[in-house]
Amino acid sequence: MSDQPPADHLKAQGRALVREAALVAGKWIPAGDDAIKVHSPADGSLLGRVPKLSAAQVDQAIDAAAGAFPAWARTKGKARGDILARWADLVTQNEDGLAALISLENGKPWKEALDEVRYANSFIRWFAGMAERLDGKAIESPNGEDLILAFREPVGPVAAITPWNFPAAMITRKAAAAFCAGCPVVLKPASATPFTGLALAALALEAGIPAECFSVVSGGQDVVGGRLTGSELIRKLSFTGSTSVGRKLAAQCAPTLKRMSMELGGAAPLLVFDDADLEVAVSGTVAGKFRAGGQTCVCPNRVYVQAGIKDAYLEALTMRVAALKVGDPFAPDTEIGPLIDEKGVTKVEDHIARTVAAGGKVLTGGQRMTGSYFQPTVIAGGDDELFCHEETFGPLVPVFTFDTEEQAISRANASEFGLAAFLFSDDLNRAMRVGRAIESGIVGINSGLISNAANPFGGVKQSGFGREGSTYGIDDYLQAKALTLALR
Ligand code: NAP
C-alpha cells in the first residue's frame, strides 16, 4: 500500500482550487450561462465552467500585457528570479491539491499527477535560477576598432496555447521561461483542462508576478485564437498541440510576423536490438508508453524489435502490460486512468481494428471498458504504416520486427514526424550511431522516460520547431539587440 492521502480528502483539495472564471489582468471574470463545461473523464461528472470570453475581453488581456511589458522587461533579472522562486515554493506547498485537480480534470492517476506537478515545478525553479544569468556578448567589429555589444532582450508579450495532456507542465515550460526573459504571458489552456492553469496563475500572482503580466483566457477557438494570433501587440506564439492546429495557427501568425515555437505531434519509434537488456527494454517500453495512459506526444507509437529477441520481448512485455491496473485516478493502486474522452477511445479502437485487419494479433487487451477506460493492449504484426503517420494517443503498443540496423533506422525515419525516439541496445557504438541517425529532436537510449527540465525538448520535421526547458529553452523568448560603439 502507499502513503497516498484518502481519495475524499484529495478530491476536496482539488475541488477547492477550481475557479469558474477567466483571469484578465488581475480580474476574475466569472463563467456566465454561455460557458464551457468541464467534465471529469473518470465519471463524466461536471467539474465546473469557464467563460467564453468576447474578443474585447481577450483584447483587454493583450493590452494589459503590452502595457506591462516595458516595466517587466526592465525589472532586474534577480527580482524576476526571486518571484519565480516564490511561485515554485507556493506550487510545492499546494502540490497535493494541484495534483488532485489534474486528476479530476485530466483523469491521470493521482500519483502520476503529483509527478507532473513536480515536473512542472522543475521548470519554474530552472528558470528562476536562470533569470539573473541572461548575459550578452561583446564582439569585436571586423574593422578592428569598433565594439559591438549584443544584449539579449525579451521578445515582448507572449501568447501561450496549451493542450490537455499535461495541464500543468505544458504551461510552466512556457510561462516560466517567458517570465524569466521578461515577457508577459496571455495563456489559453485547453478547454478540457482549464482549472489547473487558472490555479497556477493564481499562485503566480500571489508570488508577485504583476497581474497585467499573466492573464488566462478561455472561449471559442476562433475568437481567442484569432485575437491572440492576429494581434500586433503579441510578439510571440508558443503553441503545444497537434500538428494540424499548429499549421493553422502558424498561418494566422504570418501577417504579423510573430516569433513562433511549435511543439507538435509525434509518432515516436522505439527500437529494441538483439543486444538489449531485456528487462531494461521491457520496463522502458512500459514506462514510456503508458505514462498518461499513452496520451503523451513522446509515447512510443510503434515498437520495432529485432528478430533474435522478439519472442522473449513479446512474452515479457505482454505479461507486464496485462498486469497493469486500470481504474479510478484516486485509487492508490491505479496505474492507468481513463482516456480523455470518447473520441480518444474510438481512435484506439480504430487503430486496433485496422492493425488486426492487416494481420496483427492482439496479445493482451484490445477492448474498451466502462466509460472512457481502455484495456492496455499489445498487438504483434500487421502494418506499421498507420503508426508512422497517426498518433494513437492511447494504451496500445503495436510491435513489428526487423532484421538489420539499416532496416530499423529506415522504419524509424519513415514518418513525417520527428519528436521523440527510443532505442535499447547494450552496444554503445550502435546506440550512438543509431541515435544520431534517427530524425527526431529527442532520443532516449535505454530509457523510456526522457522529459526533465535539463533536456532541450522539441521536434524536427512536422513535429515543429523551438526547444523548451534546458539552457536552450530561454532562447525562444529572447532576441539580440546590438549596439555598435565606434571607438576613437
Ligand atoms: P489540439 O487539439 O491541437 O489543441 C491544443 C490547444 O490548441 C488547445 O488549447 C486547443 O483549444 C487549442 N486550439 C485548437 N484549435 C485552435 C484554434 N483554431 N485556434 C486557437 N487555439 C486552438 O491538441 P490536443 O488534443 O489538446 O493535444 C494533443 C496533441 O498535442 C497531440 O498531437 C500531442 O502530440 C501534442 N502535444 C505535443 C507536445 C510537444 O511538446 N511536442 C506536448 C504535448 C502534446 P481547445 O482545448 O479549446 O480545443
mmCIF file of all heavy atoms in Angstrom, residues 431-455:
data_model
loop_
_atom_site.group_PDB
_atom_site.id
_atom_site.type_symbol
_atom_site.label_atom_id
_atom_site.label_comp_id
_atom_site.label_asym_id
_atom_site.label_seq_id
_atom_site.Cartn_x
_atom_site.Cartn_y
_atom_site.Cartn_z
ATOM 1 N N ALA A 431 24.388 2.260 -30.253
ATOM 2 C CA ALA A 431 23.420 3.194 -29.673
ATOM 3 C C ALA A 431 23.694 4.618 -30.158
ATOM 4 O O ALA A 431 22.771 5.349 -30.545
ATOM 5 C CB ALA A 431 23.481 3.122 -28.151
ATOM 6 N N MET A 432 24.962 5.018 -30.170
ATOM 7 C CA MET A 432 25.293 6.375 -30.614
ATOM 8 C C MET A 432 25.050 6.522 -32.117
ATOM 9 O O MET A 432 24.513 7.534 -32.575
ATOM 10 C CB MET A 432 26.756 6.703 -30.296
ATOM 11 C CG MET A 432 27.043 6.820 -28.806
ATOM 12 S SD MET A 432 25.944 7.975 -27.958
ATOM 13 C CE MET A 432 26.484 9.527 -28.656
ATOM 14 N N ARG A 433 25.432 5.478 -32.877
ATOM 15 C CA ARG A 433 25.269 5.538 -34.338
ATOM 16 C C ARG A 433 23.781 5.675 -34.698
ATOM 17 O O ARG A 433 23.383 6.556 -35.463
ATOM 18 C CB ARG A 433 25.822 4.225 -34.902
ATOM 19 C CG ARG A 433 26.178 4.208 -36.340
ATOM 20 C CD ARG A 433 27.035 2.987 -36.661
ATOM 21 N NE ARG A 433 26.448 1.717 -36.260
ATOM 22 C CZ ARG A 433 27.076 0.780 -35.532
ATOM 23 N NH1 ARG A 433 28.310 0.970 -35.117
ATOM 24 N NH2 ARG A 433 26.482 -0.356 -35.222
ATOM 25 N N VAL A 434 22.963 4.823 -34.111
ATOM 26 C CA VAL A 434 21.537 4.840 -34.442
ATOM 27 C C VAL A 434 20.876 6.096 -33.877
ATOM 28 O O VAL A 434 20.069 6.748 -34.550
ATOM 29 C CB VAL A 434 20.841 3.560 -33.901
ATOM 30 C CG1 VAL A 434 19.343 3.611 -34.157
ATOM 31 C CG2 VAL A 434 21.450 2.315 -34.544
ATOM 32 N N GLY A 435 21.267 6.445 -32.651
ATOM 33 C CA GLY A 435 20.691 7.651 -32.036
ATOM 34 C C GLY A 435 20.920 8.881 -32.888
ATOM 35 O O GLY A 435 20.029 9.723 -33.046
ATOM 36 N N ARG A 436 22.129 8.986 -33.464
ATOM 37 C CA ARG A 436 22.426 10.139 -34.329
ATOM 38 C C ARG A 436 21.669 10.069 -35.650
ATOM 39 O O ARG A 436 21.332 11.088 -36.242
ATOM 40 C CB ARG A 436 23.934 10.216 -34.616
ATOM 41 C CG ARG A 436 24.829 10.418 -33.400
ATOM 42 C CD ARG A 436 24.685 11.789 -32.772
ATOM 43 N NE ARG A 436 25.056 12.879 -33.648
ATOM 44 C CZ ARG A 436 26.270 13.422 -33.723
ATOM 45 N NH1 ARG A 436 27.224 12.982 -32.953
ATOM 46 N NH2 ARG A 436 26.510 14.413 -34.545
ATOM 47 N N ALA A 437 21.401 8.844 -36.125
ATOM 48 C CA ALA A 437 20.792 8.693 -37.462
ATOM 49 C C ALA A 437 19.271 8.885 -37.449
ATOM 50 O O ALA A 437 18.671 9.125 -38.495
ATOM 51 C CB ALA A 437 21.127 7.310 -38.024
ATOM 52 N N ILE A 438 18.670 8.760 -36.292
ATOM 53 C CA ILE A 438 17.208 8.902 -36.241
ATOM 54 C C ILE A 438 16.840 10.382 -36.359
ATOM 55 O O ILE A 438 17.426 11.238 -35.688
ATOM 56 C CB ILE A 438 16.645 8.325 -34.925
ATOM 57 C CG1 ILE A 438 16.883 6.813 -34.876
ATOM 58 C CG2 ILE A 438 15.154 8.608 -34.818
ATOM 59 C CD1 ILE A 438 16.412 6.172 -33.591
ATOM 60 N N GLU A 439 15.863 10.655 -37.201
ATOM 61 C CA GLU A 439 15.439 12.040 -37.424
ATOM 62 C C GLU A 439 14.418 12.436 -36.368
ATOM 63 O O GLU A 439 13.192 12.313 -36.587
ATOM 64 C CB GLU A 439 14.839 12.169 -38.823
ATOM 65 C CG GLU A 439 15.850 11.888 -39.933
ATOM 66 C CD GLU A 439 15.180 11.589 -41.267
ATOM 67 O OE1 GLU A 439 13.930 11.523 -41.326
ATOM 68 O OE2 GLU A 439 15.918 11.391 -42.244
ATOM 69 N N SER A 440 14.906 12.842 -35.198
ATOM 70 C CA SER A 440 13.988 13.323 -34.168
ATOM 71 C C SER A 440 14.747 14.282 -33.252
ATOM 72 O O SER A 440 15.980 14.274 -33.211
ATOM 73 C CB SER A 440 13.410 12.160 -33.357
ATOM 74 O OG SER A 440 14.407 11.602 -32.554
ATOM 75 N N GLY A 441 13.978 15.096 -32.541
ATOM 76 C CA GLY A 441 14.609 16.089 -31.683
ATOM 77 C C GLY A 441 15.188 15.483 -30.414
ATOM 78 O O GLY A 441 16.180 15.973 -29.882
ATOM 79 N N ILE A 442 14.553 14.437 -29.884
ATOM 80 C CA ILE A 442 14.990 13.854 -28.617
ATOM 81 C C ILE A 442 15.008 12.335 -28.724
ATOM 82 O O ILE A 442 14.073 11.731 -29.264
ATOM 83 C CB ILE A 442 14.087 14.293 -27.435
ATOM 84 C CG1 ILE A 442 12.642 14.490 -27.885
ATOM 85 C CG2 ILE A 442 14.600 15.527 -26.761
ATOM 86 C CD1 ILE A 442 11.730 15.020 -26.817
ATOM 87 N N VAL A 443 16.066 11.723 -28.219
ATOM 88 C CA VAL A 443 16.210 10.266 -28.298
ATOM 89 C C VAL A 443 16.534 9.735 -26.906
ATOM 90 O O VAL A 443 17.448 10.231 -26.236
ATOM 91 C CB VAL A 443 17.357 9.866 -29.262
ATOM 92 C CG1 VAL A 443 17.479 8.346 -29.339
ATOM 93 C CG2 VAL A 443 17.124 10.449 -30.654
ATOM 94 N N GLY A 444 15.786 8.731 -26.479
ATOM 95 C CA GLY A 444 16.078 8.056 -25.218
ATOM 96 C C GLY A 444 16.853 6.779 -25.509
ATOM 97 O O GLY A 444 16.390 5.945 -26.303
ATOM 98 N N ILE A 445 18.030 6.631 -24.909
ATOM 99 C CA ILE A 445 18.825 5.419 -25.107
ATOM 100 C C ILE A 445 18.762 4.608 -23.822
ATOM 101 O O ILE A 445 19.166 5.079 -22.755
ATOM 102 C CB ILE A 445 20.280 5.775 -25.469
ATOM 103 C CG1 ILE A 445 20.300 6.535 -26.806
ATOM 104 C CG2 ILE A 445 21.140 4.513 -25.553
ATOM 105 C CD1 ILE A 445 21.666 7.025 -27.232
ATOM 106 N N ASN A 446 18.187 3.433 -23.903
ATOM 107 C CA ASN A 446 17.980 2.556 -22.746
ATOM 108 C C ASN A 446 17.142 3.223 -21.660
ATOM 109 O O ASN A 446 17.314 2.959 -20.473
ATOM 110 C CB ASN A 446 19.314 2.072 -22.174
ATOM 111 C CG ASN A 446 20.034 1.165 -23.163
ATOM 112 O OD1 ASN A 446 19.386 0.412 -23.901
ATOM 113 N ND2 ASN A 446 21.348 1.232 -23.208
ATOM 114 N N SER A 447 16.240 4.094 -22.079
ATOM 115 C CA SER A 447 15.322 4.748 -21.142
ATOM 116 C C SER A 447 14.040 5.119 -21.874
ATOM 117 O O SER A 447 14.083 5.592 -23.007
ATOM 118 C CB SER A 447 15.957 6.015 -20.568
ATOM 119 O OG SER A 447 14.993 6.704 -19.790
ATOM 120 N N GLY A 448 12.917 4.913 -21.196
ATOM 121 C CA GLY A 448 11.636 5.310 -21.782
ATOM 122 C C GLY A 448 11.153 6.639 -21.238
ATOM 123 O O GLY A 448 10.125 7.151 -21.671
ATOM 124 N N LEU A 449 11.878 7.201 -20.276
ATOM 125 C CA LEU A 449 11.451 8.464 -19.656
ATOM 126 C C LEU A 449 12.551 9.501 -19.850
ATOM 127 O O LEU A 449 13.626 9.375 -19.274
ATOM 128 C CB LEU A 449 11.177 8.265 -18.162
ATOM 129 C CG LEU A 449 10.030 7.320 -17.824
ATOM 130 C CD1 LEU A 449 9.915 7.146 -16.308
ATOM 131 C CD2 LEU A 449 8.697 7.819 -18.380
ATOM 132 N N ILE A 450 12.283 10.502 -20.658
ATOM 133 C CA ILE A 450 13.361 11.420 -21.036
ATOM 134 C C ILE A 450 12.997 12.883 -20.804
ATOM 135 O O ILE A 450 13.762 13.771 -21.156
ATOM 136 C CB ILE A 450 13.738 11.222 -22.518
ATOM 137 C CG1 ILE A 450 12.478 11.284 -23.380
ATOM 138 C CG2 ILE A 450 14.484 9.924 -22.726
ATOM 139 C CD1 ILE A 450 12.760 11.203 -24.857
ATOM 140 N N SER A 451 11.828 13.122 -20.210
ATOM 141 C CA SER A 451 11.413 14.515 -20.046
ATOM 142 C C SER A 451 11.876 15.054 -18.706
ATOM 143 O O SER A 451 11.503 14.523 -17.662
ATOM 144 C CB SER A 451 9.887 14.612 -20.139
ATOM 145 O OG SER A 451 9.452 14.126 -21.376
ATOM 146 N N ASN A 452 12.680 16.085 -18.727
ATOM 147 C CA ASN A 452 13.055 16.787 -17.500
ATOM 148 C C ASN A 452 13.518 18.189 -17.883
ATOM 149 O O ASN A 452 13.724 18.479 -19.061
ATOM 150 C CB ASN A 452 14.147 16.012 -16.741
ATOM 151 C CG ASN A 452 15.368 15.799 -17.600
ATOM 152 O OD1 ASN A 452 16.013 16.762 -18.008
ATOM 153 N ND2 ASN A 452 15.691 14.554 -17.907
ATOM 154 N N ALA A 453 13.672 19.045 -16.872
ATOM 155 C CA ALA A 453 13.915 20.463 -17.144
ATOM 156 C C ALA A 453 15.244 20.714 -17.845
ATOM 157 O O ALA A 453 15.426 21.736 -18.499
ATOM 158 C CB ALA A 453 13.848 21.270 -15.848
ATOM 159 N N ALA A 454 16.192 19.766 -17.727
ATOM 160 C CA ALA A 454 17.521 19.985 -18.309
ATOM 161 C C ALA A 454 17.596 19.566 -19.774
ATOM 162 O O ALA A 454 18.575 19.878 -20.464
ATOM 163 C CB ALA A 454 18.563 19.210 -17.508
ATOM 164 N N ASN A 455 16.576 18.857 -20.254
ATOM 165 C CA ASN A 455 16.610 18.285 -21.599
ATOM 166 C C ASN A 455 16.010 19.267 -22.610
ATOM 167 O O ASN A 455 14.869 19.699 -22.425
ATOM 168 C CB ASN A 455 15.783 16.985 -21.592
ATOM 169 C CG ASN A 455 16.091 16.088 -22.779
ATOM 170 O OD1 ASN A 455 16.774 16.504 -23.715
ATOM 171 N ND2 ASN A 455 15.587 14.879 -22.745
#
